[in-house]
Amino acid sequence: MVGKNKGAGHLSFTRKKVDFTERVLFRVNNPSITRKGLPVKPIIEGRGLRKEFGTLKAVDGITFSVMPGEVFGFLGPNGAGKTTTMKMIECVAPATSGILTVFGLDVNRDPRRIKRWLGVVPQETNLDPDFTTLENLLVYARYFGIPAAEARQRSEELLSFVQLSEKRDVPIEKLSGGMKRRLILARALVNSPRLLVLDEPTIGLDPQARHLMWEKLKTLQAAGNTIVLTTHYLEEAERLCNRLVIMDHGKILVEGAPGDLVRQYAGEDVIEADYTPRVVRCLEEIGARFEVHGDMVQVFSDRPKEVATRLLSDCNPGRVFVRRGSLEDVFLSLTGRALRD
Amino acid sequence: MHIMIPRPTWYAWKVWRRNWDVFFKTYRVNFLPPFVEPVLYLLAIGYGLGIFVGEIEGIPYVHYIAPALLAISMMNSSFFECTYSSFVRMYYQKTFDAMISTPLSIEDVIAGELLWGATRSLIYATAMLVVLVAFGVVSLPSSLLVIPFSFLAGLLFSGIAMCFTAITPGIDTLNYPAFLFITPMFLFSGTFFPLSVLPEALQVFAIGVLPLAQVVTVTRSLTLATPLPFFFYSLAWIASCATVFFFLSIYLMKKRLVV
Ligand SMILES: Nc1ncnc2c1ncn2[C@@H]1O[C@H](COP(=O)(O)OP(=O)(O)OP(=O)(O)O)[C@@H](O)[C@H]1O
Ligand SMILES: [Mg+2]
């Protein structure tokens, strides 16, 4: 399979000598169709991917594919297996079984070539505390074999990209948590990667820094990068991801575009009302799908006005809100509300 | 189980270079010990104690302990680098995690650490040699061979150290090899008194398996410019054990870190 269709740019990863700088070939807006209309090979493909720690099934047979140029999200409660999946993609943790290819290359056989074109933001910050901000980028660039002069120029550019130029000569310990996060993003870009793997890139960022990060990620996507990310901020996932999966207990529960998932699992609109026996009786009569959360009932319906009117006129509901359905509704209804330990 | 021989590559030098850069960022702190320590030992033990000891096997006592000071310095600089320092980089700083997200493999990373440990041994031994030459207690030019030899000896102790690092549950348990292995070796390897005064069983044990005893033998042969008995045995012992521990430690580290 791999190696045919040499006309399509992304396949060039399978050839020995390729011009990796031809980033243009990666600018594929429609995830599944090239400009010529040929089907596109995924940048990442996982089939029946499994990872066990002793008896614990951290990742339990997941199948997914990430297309060139898209932002693909992995969502799920704590311990769902997101980080484990990221580490397998990064070629740092071997899968127990299943198939995983990145750029069409097997992660077990070609880790070095894959990692050359990968930009990684780990969940746990691992900047080098023995160096300053700028030195962190320079030293990291050296691991990729980037010549010193080029590394210096690129590092300075990246520092200004993440707005840390002022901190260039500051030791790592003197950076705030959010600054460290931004520096890690800069570090992930030092090798001009094709694919970014971001494990909770916005963890611990203030709203300003988060917006900055979103803007940067959009810029990177527009430049043709493929991005895989995990996040617990569902609004963020809704904004950034072209497609996403929701995982729980090592399995993928659903996959799709955020908008589609919301429509499918939460409806366009969600009605919330005070939880009283009378309201519940009314809803049962209407035959609406609803869930009780504490002192509120949440009603999912594609006829929100009708339901709300009915509630207001017949059931004495106290308060009624109608709001747009969100990914959070999908997430909570699929993974439940119980806290994960 | 199928045991793979680890295959580190030239990428290891990038890891080595990282440690080199950090070392020279703080060189003022790092360079003081190798100059101060031998002076203190030479004065206190060599000249102080030496008055009472006089000569050992026909050699003035200061000349007798000078090579031992070199050997101990090779051992300490590389052993402590690849135990405590490597452990801090691995466990607390997550430096290895960051490195293996780049084209470096875990084999490269550990090999780089080992080569760095060996380099530290070379740096410290060389600095100390300068002092010993200034005091006129080592012969030239044969003592210059201590410089390349210190790299090999450093590689040996780095490999042994890295094996401990690979199996230690936490940083505190690294105190066990430090106190139960390094300290006794420091005293009973023909460093400050000849092995011949020990009970025969201990002599055989020391010359048979104690790494520092081998390193002392070779170093003393070089600084006195006369090959001592067991010179070639010790040299071969060091070379082969350095090789074994180099690969073994990489293998154990890989087992620990790739999960
Ligand atoms: N090195 C390890 N050894 C043993 N178990 C592990 C290891 N790493 C992860 N696990 C387990 O695997 C499961 C999945 O963990 P993972 O880190 O992938 O979750 P996650 O989805 O990233 O969670 P979070 O949102 O909290 O980051 C958890 O039950 C975790 O305890
Ligand atoms: Mg995680």
Side-chain angles (χ1 to χ4, degrees):
Chain A
M1 293 261 299
V2 173
K4 280 185 201 166
N5 254 339
K6 292 224 164 135
H10 60 282
L11 287 177
S12 52
F13 279 108
T14 59
R15 277 182 253 147
K16 263 269 176 284
K17 283 259 175 207
V18 272
D19 182 12
F20 284 107
T21 55
E22 274 212 87
R23 309 179 57 101
V24 174
L25 293 170
F26 283 79
R27 286 189 192 155
V28 184
N29 291 325
N30 186 324
S32 59
I33 306 285
T34 59
R35 272 164 295 169
K36 287 182 188 159
L38 294 169
V40 162
K41 286 279 171 91
I43 288 273
I44 309 175
E45 191 165 26
R47 265 181 285 150
L49 196 59
R50 237 172 262 280
K51 175 80 184 180
E52 290 166 13
F53 296 106
T55 54
L56 180 96
K57 289 177 175 147
V59 173
D60 194 6
I62 61 171
T63 295
F64 63 95
S65 47
V66 178
M67 293 300 170
E70 74 176 336
V71 177
F72 191 93
F74 281 85
L75 311 186
N78 290 148
K82 305 179 295 294
T83 296
T84 309
T85 308
M86 296 305 113
K87 285 189 174 166
M88 290 191 280
I89 296 171
E90 293 156 14
C91 312
V92 302
T96 308
S97 64
I99 296 171
L100 180 60
T101 62
V102 180
F103 308 129
L105 303 169
D106 188 318
V107 287
N108 294 318
R109 264 185 296 162
D110 271 314
R112 235 188 262 278
R113 284 173 75 200
I114 294 172
K115 289 193 288 183
R116 170 62 189 88
W117 300 104
L118 221 57
V120 173
V121 169
Q123 179 170 355
E124 214 172 329
T125 298
N126 60 14
L127 292 164
D128 199 326
D130 292 327
F131 292 107
T132 65
T133 302
L134 178 68
E135 285 167 346
N136 255 275
L137 300 184
L138 297 177
V139 170
Y140 208 70
R142 198 161 57 207
Y143 299 150
F144 285 92
I146 299 167
E150 192 185 328
R152 181 160 285 272
Q153 190 199 340
R154 198 156 165 79
S155 300
E156 301 273 8
E157 280 169 21
L158 284 169
L159 283 186
S160 83
F161 181 69
V162 296
Q163 303 184 5
L164 282 175
S165 296
E166 280 169 29
K167 302 280 179 189
R168 75 194 279 280
D169 298 318
V170 167
I172 293 304
E173 75 215 49
K174 299 229 169 92
L175 297 180
S176 76
M179 290 173 186
K180 285 185 189 152
R181 231 40 212 158
R182 268 143 62 197
L183 181 57
I184 290 207
L185 177 68
R187 193 184 68 176
L189 296 172
V190 96
N191 58 324
S192 315
R194 288 284 144 96
L195 169 64
L196 287 166
V197 181
L198 317 175
D199 200 351
E200 305 196 21
T202 56
I203 193 170
L205 295 189
D206 64 20
Q208 286 84 351
R210 178 164 303 139
H211 278 272
L212 176 73
M213 184 71 90
W214 290 346
E215 190 192 305
K216 297 306 171 196
L217 295 184
K218 292 266 189 208
T219 314
L220 289 166
Q221 184 187 21
N225 288 284
T226 308
I227 301 174
V228 173
L229 61 85
T230 78
T231 179
H232 287 296
Y233 302 105
L234 297 163
E235 187 213 336
E236 172 171 296
E238 226 167 334
R239 248 172 216 254
L240 292 176
C241 296
N242 300 106
R243 285 193 306 139
L244 56 85
V245 294
I246 298 179
M247 291 181 74
D248 201 4
H249 303 297
K251 290 196 163 73
I252 290 179
L253 302 177
V254 287
E255 184 213 298
D260 294 344
L261 291 177
V262 172
R263 265 189 297 283
Q264 200 178 335
Y265 291 92
E268 291 279 355
D269 298 283
V270 176
I271 304 127
E272 286 179 336
D274 284 344
Y275 173 49
T276 62
R278 179 125 177 243
V279 167
V280 171
R281 218 175 318 122
C282 271
L283 290 170
E284 277 164 355
E285 274 167 31
I286 309 170
R289 187 164 68 86
F290 66 94
E291 284 171 11
V292 180
H293 303 304
D295 58 352
M296 298 289 281
V297 234
Q298 247 175 31
V299 192
F300 304 100
S301 168
D302 38 12
R303 300 164 290 140
K305 282 208 183 102
E306 231 174 275
V307 175
T309 317
R310 179 77 185 272
L311 281 175
L312 280 169
S313 55
D314 302 348
C315 327
N316 187 26
R319 291 171 299 168
V320 177
F321 307 101
V322 179
R323 58 170 178 80
R324 301 200 51 84
S326 71
L327 205 53
E328 191 142 339
D329 298 315
V330 181
F331 187 92
L332 289 174
S333 88
L334 286 171
T335 59
R337 284 179 180 256
L339 195 66
R340 299 311 157 99
D341 44 20
Chain B
M1 205 181 76
H2 178 68
I3 294 183
M4 298 270 283
I5 302 249
R7 274 189 296 180
T9 65
W10 290 105
Y11 282 84
W13 289 104
K14 296 176 193 291
V15 178
W16 177 90
R17 184 62 201 275
R18 180 235 169 251
N19 291 338
W20 169 276
D21 286 357
V22 175
F23 183 83
F24 283 101
K25 268 176 83 118
T26 50
Y27 70 97
R28 273 182 221 100
V29 192
N30 290 325
F31 264 116
L32 215 52
F35 285 109
V36 174
E37 221 190 335
V39 177
L40 293 178
Y41 274 100
L42 274 186
L43 294 178
I45 299 182
Y47 293 108
L49 203 58
I51 290 175
F52 302 98
V53 179
E55 291 188 345
I56 286 184
E57 292 163 356
I59 302 153
Y61 192 56
V62 209
H63 294 246
Y64 185 81
I65 65 156
L69 295 180
L70 283 166
I72 290 164
S73 155
M74 294 173 205
M75 171 175 81
N76 286 343
S77 53
S78 53
F79 188 86
F80 289 101
E81 180 66 20
C82 288
T83 46
Y84 295 97
S85 304
S86 288
F87 190 85
V88 165
R89 284 192 283 273
M90 166 182 81
Y91 188 85
Y92 295 101
Q93 300 187 179
K94 308 274 176 213
T95 312
F96 297 178
D97 288 354
M99 286 172 171
I100 58 171
S101 304
T102 73
L104 305 179
S105 69
I106 190 66
E107 284 103 324
D108 301 333
V109 173
I110 306 304
E113 290 277 309
L114 295 170
L115 290 169
W116 171 246
T119 306
R120 260 181 88 101
S121 163
L122 183 143
I123 293 170
Y124 279 59
T126 307
M128 196 179 256
L129 192 63
V130 172
V131 177
L132 297 176
V133 167
F135 274 83
V137 293
V138 294
S139 316
L140 288 172
S142 64
S143 291
L144 292 178
L145 287 172
V146 166
I147 296 171
F149 172 69
S150 62
F151 188 87
L152 179 65
L155 201 59
L156 170 66
F157 289 114
S158 298
I160 296 171
M162 196 60 86
C163 288
F164 285 119
T165 308
I167 58 173
T168 190
I171 197 158
D172 293 336
T173 39
L174 283 176
N175 294 340
Y176 286 107
F179 288 120
L180 299 179
F181 178 59
I182 295 297
T183 308
M185 221 168 21
F186 166 78
L187 295 168
F188 296 100
S189 294
T191 40
F192 301 107
F193 55 87
L195 286 171
S196 55
V197 305
L198 293 173
E200 199 165 339
L202 262 182
Q203 282 183 45
V204 172
F205 176 75
I207 222 35
V209 299
L210 281 188
L212 186 61
Q214 323 301 326
V215 175
V216 168
T217 302
V218 174
T219 313
R220 190 168 280 145
S221 303
L222 295 175
T223 61
L224 296 177
T226 32
L228 300 171
F230 294 113
F231 173 79
F232 289 105
Y233 164 82
S234 291
L235 198 56
W237 193 103
I238 293 165
S240 38
C241 287
T243 312
V244 169
F245 284 109
F246 182 83
F247 289 104
L248 181 64
S249 66
I250 294 176
Y251 170 78
L252 290 174
M253 268 301 206
K254 195 175 167 186
K255 235 175 95 173
R256 176 182 185 133
L257 293 175
V258 179
V259 286

